[in-house]
Amino acid sequence: MSTPVGPYTPLVRAGDFLIASGQLGLGPDGLVDGGVAGQLAKAIENLAALLATEGATLDQVVKTTVFLVDMADYATMNEVYCEGFGDHRPARAAVAVAALPLGADVEIEAWIHQPA
């Protein structure tokens, strides 16, 4: 799990939902190597670690948004996303953006259903 890179709360409860702020592929030394594949794998790992702080898991994710700097990385993103989520398939949007914090190639945010 990484430290927020801005003035926001990484995980907020709203009734039976947890809303996870965007996760980057940050390791202890900054963005991990490997472009979209490496960064998304680490971002999903960071998301799982963040959820664990509230006793939640990736299987409880009901919606994600993936932000890509280059939509040409869509197929790679899909492969890594499927590896990270396994057979679980939350609703998802994938959006191309001009840039991401810290020069990242990809970011993922999520809504998690976890009744209190």
Side-chain angles (χ1 to χ4, degrees), residues 20-47:
S21 297
Q23 298 297 301
L24 301 175
L26 288 172
D29 299 320
L31 288 171
V32 299
D33 293 332
V36 167
Q39 288 180 27
L40 184 56
K42 183 62 176 170
I44 292 171
E45 180 183 314
N46 290 343
L47 176 61

Side-chain angles (χ1 to χ4, degrees), residues 2-62:
S2 59
T3 302
V5 297
Y8 59 87
T9 303
L11 191 63
V12 175
R13 176 168 291 282
D16 287 345
F17 290 91
L18 295 169
I19 299 98
S21 297
Q23 298 297 301
L24 301 175
L26 288 172
D29 299 320
L31 288 171
V32 299
D33 293 332
V36 167
Q39 288 180 27
L40 184 56
K42 183 62 176 170
I44 292 171
E45 180 183 314
N46 290 343
L47 176 61
L50 181 63
L51 299 183
T53 67
E54 292 292 325
T57 67
L58 291 176
D59 289 339
Q60 293 170 291
V61 172
V62 294

Side-chain angles (χ1 to χ4, degrees), residues 24-25 31-44 66-81 83 100 103-107:
L24 301 175
L31 288 171
V32 299
D33 293 332
V36 167
Q39 288 180 27
L40 184 56
K42 183 62 176 170
I44 292 171
V66 178
F67 303 93
L68 292 164
V69 171
D70 188 347
M71 199 53 81
D73 291 320
Y74 188 80
T76 299
M77 179 273 296
N78 275 331
E79 290 176 27
V80 175
Y81 186 92
E83 290 170 10
L100 289 168
D105 295 318
V106 63
E107 180 175 3

